[in-house]
Amino acid sequence: MPDVICNTSPLQYLHQIGQLELLPKLVSRITVPTAVAEELAEGRRRGLDLPVPEALGWVDLRTPASENVVRLVADLGPGETGVLLLALERTNPVVILDDALARRHAEVLGIALTGTLGILLDAKRRGLVPAVTPLVDDLQRLGFWLSEGTRNAVLRMAGEP
């Protein structure tokens, strides 16, 4: 099983739609960069409903070994940078990223990736959720941006009209 490394937004959105427990059902352990835990803690201090990764038994918090050496890319946030740096330290990792720029960097670096929508599709394929449409609706109500084309493609992949 590959190392799975998760960024802030998938944890945030899955938590907020009540589906965070899909992650340990799909993969036994998730690595979360300490920068992601710090971003979530800052959001909680601001009053947002966000998970506490330190309290999740299936999360391993890690700081990239190379973090103090160089920032991977100046235009990415600390969470995305941490995810990509940890991925570069592993063999055959999979990253969970929603940010378009971070996803492009992962592709350029040859790192396998998925996102919140990919997690929901995997969950439906494995029978963990009955439908993706209401979850996508919930995500969009929370401000999760996706184009109409992407929405339609995801629902088509889920086999939902």
Side-chain angles (χ1 to χ4, degrees):
M1 176 168 286
D3 285 326
V4 178
I5 307 160
C6 191
N7 193 34
T8 307
S9 66
L11 294 171
Q12 169 191 339
Y13 283 114
L14 290 170
H15 172 79
Q16 290 175 338
I17 66 170
Q19 299 297 321
L20 187 60
E21 288 301 316
L22 290 175
L23 287 174
K25 291 177 182 175
L26 293 169
V27 295
S28 57
R29 300 212 53 87
I30 303 278
T31 299
V32 173
T34 51
V36 166
E38 291 164 7
E39 288 176 351
L40 291 167
E42 178 59 29
R44 288 191 309 276
R45 282 191 289 279
R46 294 176 183 206
L48 297 174
D49 177 24
L50 298 172
V52 180
E54 300 90 326
L56 301 171
W58 42 270
V59 167
D60 290 323
L61 286 179
R62 298 266 188 250
T63 300
S66 54
E67 183 175 59
N68 293 324
V69 178
V70 64
R71 292 231 349 143
L72 180 65
V73 180
D75 51 356
L76 293 180
E80 290 93 355
T81 299
V83 167
L84 294 174
L85 287 172
L86 283 172
L88 290 171
E89 295 173 7
R90 308 286 171 83
T91 304
N92 298 318
V94 174
V95 296
I96 308 174
L97 294 163
D98 291 328
D99 179 79
L101 182 59
R103 291 172 69 89
R104 281 195 296 274
H105 284 297
E107 289 170 351
V108 167
L109 293 167
I111 299 168
L113 66 107
T114 191
T116 301
L117 298 173
I119 295 298
L120 295 179
L121 286 170
D122 286 347
K124 174 144 187 216
R125 284 185 204 112
R126 294 193 192 179
L128 299 173
V129 296
V132 170
T133 301
L135 300 174
V136 171
D137 291 343
D138 289 345
L139 287 171
Q140 289 190 286
R141 275 192 288 281
L142 288 167
F144 186 95
W145 187 90
L146 74 153
S147 70
E148 191 64 29
T150 299
R151 178 187 168 87
N152 291 338
V154 166
L155 298 181
R156 226 179 359 266
M157 285 187 267
E160 298 174 26

